[in-house]
Amino acid sequence: MQEIVDDELDVQSADETEDERQARLDSAVELDELSMEFVSDLVDKILLLVDEISGHPLHPYQTPFARRVIESVIIGDGETITALFSRQSGKSETVANVVAALMIILPRLAAMYPDLLGKFKEGFWVGAFAPVDEQADNLYGRIVSRLTSDRAVEFLSDPEIGEEVIGRGKELRLKHCGSLVRKTTCHPRAKIEGRTYHLILIDECQGAEEKVVNKSIGPMGASTNATMVFTGTPDYVKGVFYKQIQLNKRAATKRGARQNHFDADYKTVGKYNANYKRFVAKEILRIGADSDEFKLSYRLMWLLDRGMFTTAEKLDELGDKSMQVQHAWMKSPVIVGIDPARKIDSTIVTVIWVGWDYPDQFGRFEHRVLNWLDLTGVDWEEQYFRIVEFLSNYHVFAIGVDAGGVGDTVISRLRVLMPGVEIVPVGADRGAQSKRWRYLMDLMRDGRIGWPAHAKTRALRVWRKFRQQMEDVEIRYEGPNLIVEAPNEVGAHDDFVDSLAIAVSISEEFAVSEVEQSDNFLYAA
C-alpha cells in the first residue's frame, strides 16, 4: 500500500516537533485514486453484510461511524476512532454488528486480496474492553448475540461460508477461519494478558484509566497496527476518552484529514426513533434538561471542573449563524490582534468590528470577529507582507501585538510597513495577560462579542481551528493572575484565543475615554 506525504507537509511541519513530524510520516496511509475507489466499494459491500446479519439497516447517524471503522481496518491506518453517542442510541449495537461482519468476511477476502487484507488470513482478532466486568459483558454479549442469532446462523451455514461459532468463557471463535473476539476488563487491578488484536474496542471509555489504556491495552495492537475504537458518554472529569476526542477534533481541522470522531445527541437520535424521542421527552419532564444527569446522558455535555475557559454550549450561543467571514470592511474602523508565532505555534491575525458609537453602561463595546489570517508555517519575512496585504482590505484603526518573544521585532516592522496605523505593544507579563483574559471572559459572559458561524464559514479550516482552540484552552491561577493556555497535549494550541484577547484589549483601553466624552473621536474629521 502506498504511503505518501500529506499535501500539507510544509504547513504541518511547523506545527510539530521533528519526532512528531517523523512519526506522522511513518504512520500516514493514503491510497491512490484507484485504490480509494476499490476500498470505498468494498466498504459499501461490507455495510450491506452488516445490515444483512443484523436484520435492520443502520440509521444515518450510525453509518458514517460504521463506515470509518471498516475503512480503518481495511487500509490498516491504525487510527483511534471515537464515538460520543447519547445513552441507548445504538453505539454498542453498531460496533457489534460491524465486528460480526468483519469476523466473517475478512479472512475470506484475505485470500482474494492478499496485498490489502493478507494479515487476516488466519482470522480477524478483536479485543472487547470496558472499565468493569459488567460493562465488558454488555459489549461482548452483543457481539455474541449477533453471531449466534438465527439470521447469522443461517448465513454462516451457507455452503459458500460453511462456518461454525464456538463459545468458551470469555472468548468466541469462528471455527474454520480463525476469527475471535475476547472480552477483558480494563480495571487498574485487573491482570490483562498480552494478547494480539487487529481491532481494540473500549466501551464506556469515559471510565477507563488512561494509564491502563496506554500502557497495557494499546500495545496489544502494536504488531498489527490495530484500529482502536473508543465509545462512551461524557463525564465530570477529563480522561483518555475526552483527550482522544479532542485530539481527533484537532486532527480534523487539517486539510484532507479523515474524520475520526463521531457524535449523536438525543435530538439526532430522536429524528430516527420515535420511541426514543418520546422517552427522552418524558425524561426532560422528570429530571429536567438542565440536570447533570440529562446533560451527561443525552446532551453530550462534559461537566468538567472550573478549569475550562468556556464551553461548547457558550461558543454555540456566541456564534452568529447568519454571518459569514468578511473579507473586506471599510465602513468603520476595526481593531486587530496579532499573536506572533513562537517555536511551534502559529502567527494568527484576528480582525474585529467594534460598535464604537454604542458603549454599554460600563463603557464596553459590542464586538464581532470579521475574519482570521492563519500564517502557520510561513517564513517570517513573508509573514510581514502577508499581514499587510490581508489588512489592506480593512479600515484598520489599531493593531495590538503581543510584545513578548519576537513581538518587538514584529512591532518595529509593522510600524515601517503600515505608517498610518497605530501599532500597540500589548504586555506579555502575567498581570497584563490576566487583565485581557478577564476582559474577554466578561465580554463572552455578557454576550458582547461574537463571530461568524454561517454554515459556509463553519466549513472553513480556519474557523474549525478557532473553534477547537476555544474549546481546548484551560484556566489556572498564579496568585491573583488568571492564566489561559492550551493543555499540555499533542496538537493543542492557543494562538487563535491569544489573538482574540489581544484584539479586544485594545478596545478596553479606549472604553474609559470613550464614555467620558459625548463625541466619538474615531469619526472626528
Side-chain angles (χ1 to χ4, degrees):
M1 186 177 302
Q2 182 183 14
E3 296 188 359
I4 67 171
V5 178
D6 189 290
D7 64 356
E8 282 194 306
L9 170 59
D10 294 335
V11 172
Q12 293 184 24
S13 61
D15 198 36
E16 58 198 0
T17 67
E18 184 59 33
D19 287 344
E20 290 170 345
R21 175 179 178 274
Q22 190 58 51
R24 175 173 56 79
L25 295 178
D26 290 344
S27 62
V29 173
E30 190 156 334
L31 307 175
D32 58 39
E33 186 174 351
L34 181 61
S35 298
M36 288 177 64
E37 183 178 352
F38 172 78
V39 169
S40 179
D41 185 57
L42 182 57
V43 172
D44 288 339
K45 287 181 169 59
I46 293 177
L47 282 171
L48 292 176
L49 177 60
V50 170
D51 291 345
E52 175 65 25
I53 293 175
S54 67
H56 54 79
L58 295 170
H59 292 304
Y61 65 88
Q62 296 170 317
T63 301
F65 169 47
R67 168 178 286 279
R68 180 66 185 104
V69 173
I70 296 170
E71 178 192 56
S72 178
V73 169
I74 288 174
I75 67 176
D77 58 15
E79 293 286 4
T80 300
I81 300 167
T82 52
L84 187 70
F85 284 19
S86 61
R87 290 288 180 187
Q88 298 300 310
S89 59
K91 59 182 180 297
S92 297
E93 190 70 13
T94 303
V95 172
N97 293 341
V98 168
V99 167
L102 292 178
M103 287 177 64
I104 295 169
I105 200 64
L106 286 183
R108 290 164 174 81
L109 293 176
M112 301 169 61
Y113 309 106
D115 291 341
L116 183 63
L117 303 173
K119 65 181 179 180
F120 306 120
K121 64 181 180 180
E122 296 179 0
F124 178 60
W125 308 324
V126 182
F129 297 84
V132 297
D133 281 330
E134 184 177 350
Q135 293 169 333
D137 285 341
N138 177 56
L139 176 59
Y140 177 74
R142 288 177 183 272
I143 298 172
V144 171
S145 176
R146 186 58 58 225
L147 285 168
T148 57
S149 67
D150 291 342
R151 294 184 66 90
V153 170
E154 181 180 357
F155 182 83
L156 293 173
S157 63
D158 186 286
E160 293 187 9
I161 303 296
E163 191 58 84
E164 298 178 41
V165 176
I166 301 175
R168 184 177 57 196
K170 298 182 177 182
E171 183 178 287
L172 179 143
R173 288 178 175 268
L174 296 184
K175 181 178 180 180
H176 301 297
C177 71
S179 291
L180 64 85
V181 57
R182 184 182 295 113
K183 70 169 180 176
T184 311
T185 176
C186 54
H187 191 277
R189 294 190 180 91
K191 293 182 179 180
I192 301 178
E193 299 177 79
R195 304 285 186 168
T196 298
Y197 298 113
H198 297 112
L199 177 64
I200 295 172
L201 313 171
I202 304 181
D203 199 19
E204 301 299 342
C205 192
Q206 72 277 3
E209 288 282 345
E210 184 172 9
K211 183 177 180 180
V212 174
V213 172
N214 294 337
K215 182 177 182 297
S216 301
I217 299 177
M220 295 181 186
S223 65
T224 58
N225 195 27
T227 294
M228 298 181 72
V229 177
F230 295 174
T231 55
T233 50
D235 201 353
Y236 290 97
V237 295
K238 292 182 179 180
V240 66
F241 188 40
Y242 176 88
K243 291 179 180 179
Q244 187 62 49
I245 288 172
Q246 297 305 105
L247 187 63
N248 284 349
K249 286 182 175 181
R250 290 176 210 133
T253 65
K254 302 190 184 299
R255 184 179 303 154
R258 292 183 174 89
Q259 181 182 354
N260 285 325
H261 175 67
F262 303 85
D263 53 43
D265 64 10
Y266 76 98
K267 292 181 180 178
T268 299
V269 179
K271 292 178 182 179
Y272 307 100
N273 188 326
N275 287 332
Y276 188 92
K277 183 177 182 179
R278 283 191 287 269
F279 175 81
V280 174
K282 288 188 291 184
E283 288 294 275
I284 291 176
L285 297 174
R286 186 175 74 86
I287 63 177
D290 290 325
S291 66
D292 284 4
E293 296 81 2
F294 194 87
K295 288 178 178 177
L296 292 168
S297 297
Y298 301 105
R299 294 176 66 182
L300 305 185
M301 295 176 62
W302 291 85
L303 303 183
L304 304 172
D305 55 25
R306 298 299 181 184
M308 300 305 294
F309 176 66
T310 188
T311 65
E313 190 174 44
K314 186 63 176 178
L315 294 173
D316 288 340
E317 177 187 326
L318 296 175
D320 186 345
K321 293 185 177 180
S322 67
M323 180 183 177
Q324 299 189 49
V325 294
Q326 300 296 310
H327 297 288
W329 186 268
M330 294 293 182
K331 299 177 183 179
S332 60
V334 300
I335 56 177
V336 177
I338 298 179
D339 182 45
R342 292 170 175 80
K343 185 176 180 181
I344 60 172
D345 294 319
S346 310
T347 292
I348 302 299
V349 182
T350 302
V351 180
I352 296 182
W353 169 91
V354 182
W356 299 109
D357 290 333
Y358 305 100
D360 66 12
Q361 59 182 335
F362 302 108
R364 293 174 304 189
F365 305 108
E366 191 78 16
H367 299 70
R368 286 290 183 274
V369 175
L370 297 181
N371 203 355
W372 303 270
L373 175 64
D374 181 2
L375 294 173
T376 304
V378 178
D379 180 80
W380 258 115
E381 287 304 314
E382 183 181 346
Q383 284 192 26
Y384 295 121
F385 297 102
R386 292 274 293 274
I387 291 171
V388 172
E389 180 184 20
F390 175 72
L391 294 181
S392 67
N393 298 302
Y394 301 91
H395 180 185
V396 179
F397 165 62
I399 300 173
V401 182
D402 186 347
V406 299
D408 288 341
T409 303
V410 176
I411 291 167
S412 298
R413 291 293 297 273
L414 290 180
R415 282 175 173 165
V416 173
L417 294 171
M418 304 180 72
V421 177
E422 182 172 0
I423 311 298
V424 183
V426 176
D429 61 277
R430 290 305 196 196
Q433 290 182 20
S434 179
K435 183 181 179 182
R436 62 177 177 261
W437 287 123
R438 293 180 188 276
Y439 187 61
L440 175 57
M441 292 176 72
D442 287 344
L443 293 176
M444 293 175 63
R445 180 195 62 213
D446 298 335
R448 303 289 288 178
I449 190 169
W451 40 79
H454 188 277
K456 291 183 179 179
T457 299
R458 296 197 305 272
L460 298 176
R461 188 158 56 101
V462 69
W463 185 92
R464 299 199 307 270
K465 292 179 73 171
F466 165 76
R467 172 60 186 254
Q468 187 60 51
Q469 290 189 17
M470 290 289 285
E471 283 193 52
D472 279 347
V473 290
E474 302 173 342
I475 63 174
R476 60 183 177 86
Y477 292 88
E478 289 186 1
N481 295 321
L482 172 72
I483 307 300
V484 178
E485 58 190 3
N488 185 23
E489 298 172 12
V490 176
H493 299 284
D494 50 26
D495 315 295
F496 278 88
V497 197
D498 283 340
S499 178
L500 178 63
I502 290 167
V504 299
S505 70
I506 297 177
S507 72
E508 183 184 20
E509 294 298 321
F510 294 107
V512 175
S513 61
E514 202 53 27
V515 295
E516 287 179 347
Q517 55 187 343
S518 57
D519 296 329
N520 189 329
F521 73 92
L522 291 172
Y523 296 96

